[in-house]
Amino acid sequence: MNADTLIRIFTIIAPLSLASFGGASSIYAPMQHEVVDIEKWITAREFLDLFAISRAMPGPGSLFCTLVGWQVAGLAGAIVASIAIYLPSSIVVYGVGHVWSRHRGKRWHNALEKGLNPLGAGLLFAGVVTLAKLASDGFLPIAIIGVVCALNVWKPKIHPVVFLIGGGALCYGTYAFA
Amino acid sequence: MDQTRRVPLSEIYRTFFVIGLFSFGGGLVSWIYRDAVDVRKWMSREDFLPGVALAQVMPGVSSTNCAIYVGQILRGWMGALTAITAMLSAPFVISLGAAWAYKSLLHIPGFQETMVGVAAAAIGMLMRTGVEAARPQLRDISAMAVMIASFLAVGVFRFPLVPVICVMGPISIALAWPNAKAEGEQ
């Protein structure tokens, strides 16, 4: 692993940090494009696996970037990727936070919320589609995506881990007994 | 932002460390609320709530954004840095442990198939979050248009994210401006 790779990790992720409206989900599509398609650092399979790990472990979804950094360049990669994804957006939040609480309840707050929320929602679906494409070799994963989504809307109280284990068990079962 | 007492950085660290450790599947902002307002009485509800909106609107994950906001109110930039570091430290170590284990599990027969199932379930949950986020946008035609356009641009046409944000962000905020209200307005 060399310094060039670390710098590249940083220059790919840091701009995405500032653009990650709506949270981690907005960066899956561009991350997939950069690290799988262009840099070819990891395979589509690994990308999907790292996503699964990041969701099965505690912590915010953007720890996914940390895992990609780890996979590409070990511990140094993980640290650089973490700084790249958290530092830029955190500085913005910190900076705006000062002004924000002083101008509580102003019209521009509401305009920002109303304007940026639909953007975040659209980007979230872009992330879902990117990941679903990677996962959909065969009927079963697509069925799991649909069923989990529906169950989750219907019974929001079910613990996420139940779904993750269920999905994994179902796919393992099909593999082992088919 | 008058403080009745100076909250020690160690207390900020401990609180957010525990929140980070048990942070499964979102909803973390309400955890932070419970600790900061109800349990530890660091701040009033009125001081906390603007942070929720801020965390949501700004780029980045809402839970870590919220941690920064709370840390900042308590102890300035040191507080913010302490809060986010604390919140990420346990998940950072645990996730790396899992990624390390993942590499050694790869050659076990059936492991890859299992991971696809786990990933599919995680995608399903993400999609549900999307459904929840999309619902309020459906009431407004311009919000709906922005949502669909940003989805198509990044998800289907694979335009790079940053230029898309730079174009769509201002357009979307401008579209929302006529309907935006100050607090208390009808």
Side-chain angles (χ1 to χ4, degrees):
Chain A
M1 170 252 307
N2 53 47
D4 286 351
T5 313
L6 293 179
I7 292 168
R8 192 79 192 96
I9 291 176
F10 188 85
T11 53
I12 287 174
I13 297 179
L16 299 183
S17 170
L18 292 175
S20 60
F21 289 96
S25 332
S26 54
I27 61 167
Y28 291 128
M31 277 290 275
Q32 191 266 345
H33 186 61
E34 293 282 352
V35 301
V36 178
D37 296 345
I38 296 179
E39 299 290 342
K40 299 195 187 344
W41 280 333
I42 58 175
T43 64
R45 199 47 173 278
E46 287 172 318
F47 187 90
L48 191 66
D49 288 351
L50 294 177
F51 161 74
I53 295 171
S54 74
R55 288 283 155 172
M57 293 298 128
S62 42
L63 268 184
F64 170 75
C65 292
T66 306
L67 295 181
V68 171
W70 164 266
Q71 192 77 6
V72 174
L75 186 60
I79 292 170
V80 168
S82 306
I83 294 172
I85 192 65
Y86 289 112
L87 190 64
S89 65
S90 299
I91 290 175
V92 172
V93 173
Y94 182 82
V96 177
H98 279 291
V99 193
W100 189 269
S101 40
R102 237 178 291 137
H103 295 252
R104 178 179 308 177
K106 289 278 168 67
R107 188 180 185 187
W108 62 269
H109 278 204
N110 193 240
L112 275 182
E113 281 182 61
K114 280 210 165 101
L116 292 174
N117 285 345
L119 197 58
L123 296 176
L124 201 156
F125 280 112
V128 168
V129 165
T130 305
L131 292 160
K133 267 193 214 150
L134 298 179
S136 57
D137 54 344
F139 169 73
L140 189 59
I142 298 183
I144 293 175
I145 295 173
V147 169
V148 167
C149 177
L151 267 178
N152 219 336
V153 170
W154 184 45
K155 291 242 185 262
K157 292 263 150 122
I158 301 177
H159 199 275
V161 170
V162 175
F163 289 117
L164 299 176
I165 293 176
L170 212 60
C171 280
Y172 182 77
T174 334
Y175 162 82
F177 299 109
Chain B
M1 269 182 260
D2 49 316
Q3 276 314 117
T4 42
R5 84 187 161 106
R6 197 173 147 90
V7 178
L9 290 177
S10 60
E11 187 181 332
I12 299 177
Y13 192 92
R14 254 183 293 128
T15 306
F16 281 101
F17 182 87
V18 173
I19 293 175
L21 184 59
F22 293 105
S23 55
F24 274 99
L28 276 197
V29 171
S30 56
W31 268 66
I32 300 177
Y33 176 87
R34 203 184 64 101
D35 258 307
V37 179
D38 292 341
V39 179
R40 295 175 187 276
K41 312 220 182 298
W42 284 340
M43 58 183 67
S44 67
R45 185 186 139 84
E46 288 66 38
D47 279 333
F48 185 88
L49 287 184
V52 178
L54 175 79
Q56 253 273 304
V57 164
M58 290 296 122
V61 182
S62 58
S63 57
T64 46
N65 286 351
C66 184
I68 289 169
Y69 176 82
V70 171
Q72 175 179 20
I73 285 189
L74 295 179
R75 291 293 300 270
W77 70 270
M78 284 286 285
L81 188 65
T82 306
I84 188 172
T85 313
M87 193 149 157
L88 292 175
S89 39
F92 182 85
V93 174
I94 295 172
S95 299
L96 287 193
W100 176 79
Y102 157 79
K103 269 190 180 168
S104 47
L105 291 172
L106 266 181
H107 51 266
I108 294 177
F111 178 73
Q112 292 238 305
E113 286 72 11
T114 310
M115 286 303 282
V116 172
V118 177
I123 298 168
M125 289 190 281
L126 203 59
M127 200 158 118
R128 183 248 169 174
T129 316
V131 171
E132 299 297 330
R135 240 177 224 170
Q137 320 308 334
L138 302 180
R139 278 182 252 131
D140 183 290
I141 186 80
S142 63
M144 210 161 83
V146 167
M147 181 173 75
I148 294 171
S150 57
F151 162 69
L152 288 177
V154 174
V156 178
F157 300 117
R158 312 306 301 264
F159 293 148
L161 181 63
V162 176
V164 169
I165 295 281
C166 292
V167 174
M168 296 283 296
I171 291 178
S172 184
I173 294 167
L175 285 172
W177 184 256
N179 292 322
K181 295 178 183 72
E183 212 167 79
E185 272 181 5
Q186 277 305 301

